[in-house]
Amino acid sequence: MKIGVSGASGQLGKAVLQELLGRGGGHEIVGISRTPATVPAPVQGRRGDYDQPDSLAQAYAGLDRLLIIPSADLAPGARARQLVAAIDAGVRAGVGHIVLVSSAGTRQAAEPAVGAAYWTGEQHLMRTAPRWTVLRMNFYAEAFGQEVARSLATGMLTGLGENRVAFVSRDDVGAAAAGLLLGEGHAGAVYEATGPAAISGAERAALVAELTGKPFGYVVISEAQLRGGLAKSGLPPALVETVVGLRTKFIDGDFDVVSGSVERLAGRPPRTLRDVLRTVLA
C-alpha cells in the first residue's frame, strides 16, 4: 500500500511519518511538502503546494491513502481554499481513501471565524471523496506548555472564563493518524483525538504550581484585555485574532471533549497533561 502525508514537513507531519516508519508493514510512505528535501529518508519526498493545485495532482498520484494536514496560513479564507484544493486534487488523482486532520468543536461557521476552514474542509471531503475519515484534534498540550513557560514570570494563567480542555500531545495525534492510515474499518468515521481528561483553568494552574514549586493562579480577563495584551506583545493582527478565537472556543466548550480514539487508533493510551508539562518545563 502507498500512503501519502500532505504537510509532511510540519511538526505533526513529521510525527506521523515517524509512526508510520516505526510500525513497518512494508508500505511505501510518501511525504508531500513544499520543501520535499526536508522529508527524512527512507520516506519518498514529493513537492506539493496547497496554493498550487497542479503540484498536488502530481504529488498525490498513485496513492492508496492520503492524510491532509492543514497549513498554518492564517489569512482569512486561505486555509479553506487550500483544503478544498487538496481534497479535489486527491479525488482527481484517484486516491482511494482521504483522511483530513480537523479540529475539535468543528461546526458550521463563516470566515473569518477560527473554525470556518475546518467546517469547509470537512463538508467538502464528505461530499466528494469516495472514502473518507476525519480526525479532529484537541488543543495541543505542547502549545499549552509554551504558554506556561511564558507565564512563569507572572505566576498566572489567564482565560476569558472558566473552561475545561482535553489537551492532547502532538505525538499522540500523530500516532492516532498513523494507526488510522494503516488500519481498516475507518471509512465514514469522525474521530476525536483527545487527552485522557478535560482539565479546568484552576486545575491547570494547580498543576503548574505543583510542577514548578511556585505559587500559580488562574485569572479571568476580558476579551479587550486579552486582545490588548497580545497586541502589546507584538503579535501580528492575524495571530491576535486567532488566539482570541481559540480562547473563545475554550469557554464555548469546544475542547471539552474526551474520547478513547487515541488509544483505539494508536494502540496506546494518550499522555497526560502532567507528563507533557513535565517534559516542556524541564
Side-chain angles (χ1 to χ4, degrees), residues 184-198:
E184 301 294 339
H186 303 304
V190 177
Y191 292 111
E192 300 278 353
T194 80

Side-chain angles (χ1 to χ4, degrees), residues 103-118:
S103 172
T106 293
R107 57 181 178 271
Q108 187 170 6
E111 297 288 353
V114 172
Y118 295 115

Side-chain angles (χ1 to χ4, degrees), residues 46-272:
R46 293 184 183 178
R47 184 182 180 280
D49 188 332
Y50 288 142
D51 292 319
Q52 298 178 8
D54 288 344
S55 71
L56 297 176
Q58 297 176 8
Y60 298 164
L63 298 179
D64 298 298
R65 296 181 182 178
L66 169 66
L67 177 71
I68 297 176
I69 301 173
S71 77
D73 194 333
L74 298 179
R79 212 163 7 183
R81 183 184 66 251
Q82 292 170 348
L83 291 178
V84 169
I87 292 164
D88 285 345
V91 172
R92 287 196 303 270
V95 177
H97 190 162
I98 300 177
V99 179
L100 175 66
V101 174
S102 185
S103 172
T106 293
R107 57 181 178 271
Q108 187 170 6
E111 297 288 353
V114 172
Y118 295 115
W119 171 259
T120 298
E122 286 189 9
Q123 293 300 301
H124 193 68
L125 178 73
M126 295 172 186
R127 287 194 301 264
T128 60
R131 299 175 76 244
W132 58 266
T133 308
V134 172
L135 182 63
R136 291 178 172 175
M137 60 182 178
N138 212 281
F139 197 86
Y140 282 146
E142 291 84 356
F144 174 67
Q146 293 172 348
E147 178 188 344
V148 169
R150 293 192 298 268
S151 302
L152 290 177
T154 65
M156 68 177 67
L157 297 169
T158 62
L160 298 179
E162 186 54 278
N163 58 81
R164 304 184 71 84
V165 178
F167 297 98
V168 65
S169 167
R170 183 183 291 107
D171 288 342
D172 287 337
V173 177
L180 197 165
L181 289 166
L182 293 171
E184 301 294 339
H186 303 304
V190 177
Y191 292 111
E192 300 278 353
T194 80
I199 303 173
S200 71
E203 290 168 338
R204 299 194 291 268
L207 178 58
V208 175
E210 176 189 334
L211 292 174
T212 61
K214 301 176 181 179
F216 224 85
Y218 180 78
V219 178
V220 175
I221 61 175
S222 69
E223 184 176 317
Q225 288 175 309
L226 173 61
R227 195 182 301 275
L230 294 171
K232 187 176 180 180
S233 69
L235 293 182
L239 186 53
V240 169
E241 294 307 314
T242 297
V243 174
V244 172
L246 286 171
R247 293 300 182 90
T248 300
K249 287 169 71 69
F250 274 28
I251 60 173
D252 287 344
D254 288 1
F255 296 105
D256 187 4
V257 181
V258 178
S259 85
S261 293
V262 166
E263 185 164 8
R264 175 185 174 185
L265 297 171
R268 66 172 188 249
R271 296 176 68 191
T272 65

